[in-house]
């Protein structure tokens, strides 16, 4: 493979990017796509070697600046590029203006681009050596042969991903977010509740599949980005093949001669040719149903690669629609639901880590160990909360033979199935286990193999708890939570507090420690879901009548497992009230259960604070699964009804300080 264009400008050598050189390493990742066949034919040339008067954009014709797809399967990226041409302020953000171009004395063969990545705008510098076959661009280009903004932007995006080949197959929503820093949602045009959507990723919430309602978007239709995609080849669109994305350029209601209205949509195919034979193509029968002048005017808007169709044809031809939220020139997101500017925003990064914070879905006993976030709403308003995960790249050896045309497989390779749930809490101190047993006030409803999922709602003032999760426990990924709101809000991570005890001026606390082990095959009985639960260790204790004389908490139990953070078991415990039992009964009965510290969590410590009546009790600690060996320590703090001696002597103060230190450490 040859690299041309090692020319000089003003005595200086033109820039050649050492991090993304004009070589095979920049083209290919694992050679699993059809472009691998082009390897021997590709040369690298600069725009001045391809045409006489190169420029970034064509003069006085915006249509000629639109993207035209080449031999690379990145229609999803090109649909997002179309949105930039409609929004000059976004285009200037991605491609900073006033960069020296060909013919300028300042031109040195390099260009700068910016892409939004996980909360920040990232600068990407490239040279302008572009892949060609026979002196013609082999990948994406503009309709104008002398305009190069698309080809250069595609190269910068390929550098960001590691190679051109890594742009083969993707989601329009991802490219829209990377190019705007905003939000994008994918809506279904298929049959609601279809069997195809009943995936194993669904959790205990009701699964809802959102269908497209164009009327909902009408107030912002001229400002948002819309792309449509097909997963099959319905009649009349045999050219489209599978998994192809196109852009919706505009839609409008047209009066028919009979007095009714027809909703028409103008579609742009990045292939640069019409791929639909329907009632509203050039010689279609639909035009005879409207005024001739209107028909001619609408037909004149169609440029190369575009065609009209009506709403019925649209719903038949395409499987889903991606909607990119409008962004104002001030950088504020605009709601597609209400048209409101969402002027308040926050973001915070987090991570699901196996054995520590990757608790899985709400079906899992370890769900409560997932990262948790406080979200405060100061006044009633519209709120959008986004959960976006880092992409994981597939391993060459494992996926080299995987057909990339399958969009579902591609998503499974790159992403975990993720979801976001929200609960409203009355105050910051609450019982987590009890709250998680209640339905959330808002959620993304099911875990999805998407880079980003979005929760939307009108929220009342108050505190909310946000919990992001993967479907599988132990699934690892980095993520970012973003909040966009119409009113003042705040967002912060919830730190898991160390177990604490209430300190009172009229009493003390006494702490006892019990050490034990879960031994595989004998005392590692697992949770109450398993018959072997009866094998778990039991620890008896008593609550005195004196400790119940004052109201409030009088017992705190903490279970600590002696295992490294990277190899924790999900742990929990139950407490039973003891009664007189027959000699053969040695284990507490279910009906005597008085308190539980569940669900089992992948943490070093779990703790429960409660108020118990006087009597004898038993604590049964357990792992969730049987035969999970570990040593553990059980600490039991009980309130003692004894006045603190308020001695003025140094010894008295020392005793009191030691007592309080012991309380705080327990």
């Amino acid at each position: 493979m040859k690299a041309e264009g090692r020319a000089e400008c003003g005595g200086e050598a033109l820039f050649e990017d050492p991090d993304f050189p004009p070589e095979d390493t920049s083209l290919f990742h694992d050679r699993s796509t059809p472009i691998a066949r082009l390897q021997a034919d590709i040369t690298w040339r600069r725009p001045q070697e391809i045409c006489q008067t190169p420029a970034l954009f064509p003069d006085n014709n915006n249509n000629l600046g639109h993207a035209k797809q080449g031999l690379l399967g990145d229609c999803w990226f090109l649909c997002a590029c179309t949105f930039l041409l409609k929004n000059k302020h976004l285009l200037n953000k991605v491609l900073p203006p006033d960069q020296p171009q060909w013919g300028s004395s300042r031109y040195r063969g390099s260009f700068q681009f910016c892409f939004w990545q996980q909360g920040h705008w990232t600068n990407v510098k490239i040279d302008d050596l572009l892949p060609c076959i026979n002196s013609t661009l082999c990948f994406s280009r503009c309709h104008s042969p002398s305009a190069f903004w698309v080809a250069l932007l595609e190269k910068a995006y390929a550098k960001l991903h590691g190679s051109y080949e890594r742009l083969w197959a993707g989601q329009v929503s991802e490219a829209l977010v990377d190019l705007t820093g905003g939000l994008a949602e994918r809506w279904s045009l298929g049959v609601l509740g279809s069997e195809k959507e009943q995936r194993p990723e669904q959790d205990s919430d009701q699964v809802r599949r959102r269908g497209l309602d164009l009327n909902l978007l009408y107030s912002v239709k001229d400002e948002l980005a819309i792309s449509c995609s097909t997963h099959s080849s319905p009649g009349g669109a045999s050219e489209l093949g599978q998994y192809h994305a196109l852009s919706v350029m505009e839609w409008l209601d047209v009066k028919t001669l009979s007095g009714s209205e027809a909703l028409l949509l103008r579609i742009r195919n990045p292939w640069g040719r019409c791929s639909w034979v329907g009632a509203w193509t050039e010689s279609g029968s639909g035009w005879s149903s409207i005024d001739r002048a209107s028909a001619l005017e609408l037909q004149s808007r169609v440029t190369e690669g575009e065609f009209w169709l009506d709403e019925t044809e649209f719903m038949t031809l395409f499987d889903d629609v991606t909607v990119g939220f409008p962004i104002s020139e001030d950088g504020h997101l605009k709601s597609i639901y209400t048209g409101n500017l969402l002027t308040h925003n926050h973001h915070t990064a987090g991570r699901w880590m196996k054995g520590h914070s990757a608790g899985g879905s709400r079906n899992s006993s370890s769900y409560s160990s997932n990262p948790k976030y406080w979200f405060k709403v100061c006044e009633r308003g519209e709120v959008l909360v986004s959960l976006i995960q880092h992409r994981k790249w597939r391993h060459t050896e494992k996926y080299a033979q995987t057909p990339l045309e399958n969009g579902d497989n591609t998503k499974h390779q790159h992403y975990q199935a993720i979801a976001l749930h929200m609960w409203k809490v009355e105050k910051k101190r609450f019982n987590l286990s009890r709250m998680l047993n209640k339905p959330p006030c808002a959620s993304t409803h099911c875990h999805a193999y998407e880079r980003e999922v979005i929760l939307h709602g009108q929220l009342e003032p108050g505190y909310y708890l946000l919990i992001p999760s993967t479907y599988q426990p132990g699934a690892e990924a980095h993520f970012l939570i973003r909040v966009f709101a119409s009113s003042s809000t705040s967002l912060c991570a919830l730190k898991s507090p160390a177990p604490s005890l209430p300190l009172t001026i009229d009493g003390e606390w006494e702490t006892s420690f019990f050490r034990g082990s879960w031994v595989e095959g004998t005392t590692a009985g697992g949770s109450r879901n398993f018959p072997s639960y009866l094998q778990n260790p039991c620890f008896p204790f008593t609550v005195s009548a004196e400790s119940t004389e004052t109201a409030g908490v009088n017992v705190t139990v903490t279970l600590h497992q002696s295992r490294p953070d990277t190899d924790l078991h999900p742990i929990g415990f139950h407490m039973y009230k003891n009664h007189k039992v027959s000699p053969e009964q040695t284990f507490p009965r279910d009906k005597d259960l008085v308190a539980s510290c569940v669900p089992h969590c992948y943490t070093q410590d779990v703790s429960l604070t409660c108020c118990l009546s006087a009597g004898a009790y038993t604590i049964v600690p357990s792992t969730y699964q049987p035969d999970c060996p570990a040593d553990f320590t059980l600490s039991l703090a009980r309130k003692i009804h004894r006045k603190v001696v308020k001695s003025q002597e140094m010894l008295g103060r020392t005793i009191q300080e030691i007592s309080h230190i012991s309380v705080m450490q327990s």
Side-chain angles (χ1 to χ4, degrees):
M1 184 177 303
K2 296 185 295 182
E4 309 290 344
R6 288 184 170 83
E8 293 186 355
C9 182
E12 293 185 26
L14 295 178
F15 174 69
E16 248 187 57
D17 187 357
D19 299 322
F20 201 68
E23 299 171 0
D24 286 356
T25 55
S26 299
L27 288 171
F28 307 114
H29 167 57
D30 56 16
R31 291 179 169 81
S32 63
T33 69
I35 66 169
R37 298 193 295 266
L38 308 174
Q39 179 177 351
D41 301 322
I42 293 179
T43 58
W44 297 76
R45 299 179 183 273
R46 297 187 189 268
Q48 62 267 38
E49 299 177 288
I50 300 172
C51 73
Q52 291 185 344
T53 56
L56 284 175
F57 300 95
D59 292 331
N60 305 319
N61 192 330
N62 199 46
N63 286 323
L64 292 179
H66 279 294
K68 186 174 183 178
Q69 188 175 353
L71 300 176
L72 188 64
D74 61 350
C75 55
W76 58 282
F77 171 66
L78 302 182
C79 287
C81 292
T82 298
F83 187 51
L84 293 182
L85 280 185
K86 295 170 58 178
N87 296 269
K88 186 73 172 178
H89 62 287
L90 294 177
L91 181 61
N92 289 341
K93 183 74 175 178
V94 174
L95 176 54
D98 302 324
Q99 298 191 53
Q101 298 184 38
W102 309 273
S104 166
S105 61
R106 297 187 298 124
Y107 166 74
R108 292 294 179 269
S110 66
F111 288 88
Q112 295 274 356
F113 293 87
C114 289
F115 300 100
W116 187 91
Q117 293 286 286
Q118 293 295 331
H120 306 282
W121 286 93
T122 300
N123 292 318
V124 176
K125 180 181 179 180
I126 59 166
D127 59 39
D128 59 356
L129 284 159
L130 298 170
C132 295
I133 296 178
N134 298 326
S135 299
T136 301
L137 291 174
C138 61
F139 297 146
S140 301
R141 70 205 78 171
C142 293
H143 280 266
S144 167
S146 60
F148 287 88
W149 80 275
V150 168
L152 292 170
L153 179 61
E154 182 184 56
K155 178 172 183 176
Y157 202 53
K159 179 181 178 179
L160 186 72
H161 284 69
S163 69
Y164 276 93
E165 194 170 44
R166 276 182 162 167
L167 300 187
W168 191 287
Q171 296 292 326
V172 179
S173 57
E174 296 180 22
L176 279 171
V177 172
D178 291 346
L179 294 178
T180 68
L183 292 178
E185 287 193 85
R186 197 153 58 95
W187 292 12
S188 171
L189 296 181
V191 178
L192 299 185
S194 67
E195 185 176 336
K196 178 183 177 182
E197 289 299 312
Q198 304 306 315
R199 301 185 181 277
E201 294 86 344
Q202 70 186 58
D203 55 25
S204 56
D205 298 302
Q206 179 184 3
V207 176
R208 303 180 196 173
R209 189 181 179 202
R210 174 174 290 161
L212 176 69
D213 181 0
L214 286 173
N215 293 323
L216 177 67
L217 307 175
Y218 205 85
S219 62
V220 290
K221 71 183 182 70
D222 296 326
E223 304 171 75
L224 46 72
I226 301 187
S227 172
C228 46
S229 60
T230 176
H231 301 169
S232 57
S233 301
S238 57
E239 266 199 338
L240 288 183
Q242 289 189 328
Y243 308 105
H244 187 50
L246 302 89
S247 299
V248 179
M249 305 304 294
E250 66 171 321
W251 84 80
L252 66 163
D253 291 311
V254 178
K255 287 280 188 183
T256 66
L257 296 175
S258 63
S260 61
E261 284 191 343
L263 176 64
L264 299 185
L265 301 97
R266 180 162 57 93
I267 310 297
R268 176 184 289 274
N269 185 354
W271 288 345
R273 58 182 183 269
C274 180
S275 51
W276 174 248
V277 179
W280 299 91
T281 48
E282 184 175 1
S283 57
S285 60
W287 300 111
S288 61
S289 66
I290 65 173
D291 175 78
R292 178 168 174 76
S294 298
L296 292 174
E297 196 276 328
L298 291 176
Q299 288 176 321
S300 69
R301 299 188 197 181
V302 174
T303 61
E304 186 180 5
E306 294 184 351
F307 55 95
W308 287 98
L309 42 70
D310 60 33
E311 185 176 14
T312 301
E313 293 174 324
F314 183 75
M315 296 293 184
T316 302
L317 175 60
F318 299 106
D319 295 296
D320 55 44
V321 164
T322 298
V323 180
F325 285 62
I327 298 177
S328 71
E329 294 194 18
D330 295 330
H332 296 308
L333 202 74
K334 180 177 284 191
S335 170
I336 61 175
Y337 302 99
T338 63
N340 293 333
L341 276 178
L342 306 178
T343 54
H344 300 265
N345 60 81
H346 309 276
H347 72 262
T348 184
R351 180 184 179 187
W352 293 293
M353 188 165 57
K354 185 177 181 180
H356 179 65
S357 59
S361 72
R362 294 181 67 213
N363 294 334
S364 171
S365 63
S366 56
Y367 177 75
S368 63
S369 66
N370 281 303
K372 292 171 279 291
Y373 295 87
W374 277 122
F375 178 47
K376 182 182 179 182
V377 177
C378 299
E379 55 185 286
R380 190 180 191 279
E382 185 177 7
V383 174
L384 284 158
V385 185
S386 146
L387 171 63
I388 184 169
Q389 62 177 312
H390 287 216
R391 185 183 181 103
K392 57 175 182 178
W393 291 108
R394 55 192 180 153
H395 298 293
T396 302
E397 297 81 6
K398 182 176 181 181
Y399 293 110
Q401 303 304 318
T402 302
L404 285 181
E405 291 78 8
N406 189 318
D408 291 336
N409 283 350
T410 302
K411 288 190 293 181
H412 283 57
Q413 293 166 17
H414 297 320
Y415 300 121
Q416 305 289 355
I418 60 172
L420 186 63
H421 294 77
M422 176 191 290
W423 285 264
K424 192 173 192 306
V425 294
E426 297 304 320
K427 52 186 177 180
K428 277 198 168 185
R429 297 183 66 87
F430 60 91
N431 185 303
L432 180 62
S433 299
R434 190 178 303 159
M435 186 198 70
L436 295 182
N437 284 329
K438 299 177 181 178
C441 66
S443 74
T444 54
H445 303 295
C446 67
H447 287 76
Y449 284 105
E450 303 284 354
R451 187 176 77 165
E452 185 170 25
V453 294
I454 299 170
L455 180 157
H456 170 259
Q458 297 283 342
L459 297 184
E460 299 295 332
Y463 286 102
Y464 296 82
L465 187 71
L466 286 171
I467 300 184
S469 64
T470 59
Y471 180 71
Q472 291 289 348
E476 294 192 312
H478 291 265
F479 63 81
L480 183 76
I481 291 181
R482 297 190 288 163
V483 173
F484 302 88
S486 60
S487 60
S488 180
T489 59
S490 63
L491 177 70
C492 65
L494 174 62
K495 305 295 183 182
S496 298
S500 60
L501 300 175
L503 300 180
T504 59
I505 61 173
D506 62 342
E508 295 180 35
W509 289 77
E510 180 180 76
T511 303
S512 304
F513 296 90
F514 307 94
R515 288 180 173 81
S517 299
W518 293 297
V519 179
E520 186 175 353
T522 56
T523 59
S527 68
R528 297 205 306 164
N529 295 342
F530 302 93
S532 56
Y533 174 70
L534 304 179
Q535 300 171 8
N536 283 301
C538 298
F539 297 89
F541 71 97
T542 59
V543 175
S544 66
E546 290 80 7
S547 67
T548 62
E549 290 182 3
T550 56
V553 170
N554 60 1
V555 172
T556 292
V557 179
T558 301
L559 174 63
H560 172 87
Q561 60 175 313
S562 301
R563 292 179 68 85
D565 284 339
T566 56
D567 193 26
L568 295 173
H569 294 317
I571 59 172
F573 59 85
H574 299 279
M575 298 170 63
Y576 301 84
K577 183 74 175 287
N578 294 353
H579 296 281
K580 289 183 178 181
V581 296
S582 59
E584 65 270 16
Q585 184 181 348
T586 59
F587 200 89
R589 299 170 298 183
D590 285 351
K591 69 177 183 179
D592 298 326
L593 181 67
V594 293
S596 298
C597 185
V598 290
H600 292 68
C601 298
Y602 285 93
T603 57
Q604 291 278 10
D605 303 275
V606 292
S607 185
L608 178 67
T609 300
C610 54
C611 179
L612 298 180
S613 60
Y617 295 86
T618 295
I619 305 170
V620 181
S622 66
T623 58
Y624 180 69
Q625 293 280 352
D627 294 330
C628 295
D631 295 325
F632 62 84
T633 301
L634 201 64
S635 65
L636 170 67
R638 286 169 288 183
K639 188 176 179 182
I640 301 172
H641 189 67
R642 182 174 66 203
K643 295 290 184 180
V644 177
V645 178
K646 297 182 180 180
S647 171
Q648 297 301 313
E649 299 176 10
M650 181 62 68
L651 178 61
R653 289 201 300 272
T654 302
I655 291 173
Q656 192 170 353
E657 286 177 7
I658 292 173
S659 175
H660 280 234
I661 291 172
S662 174
V663 164
M664 288 187 286
Q665 290 179 340
S666 61

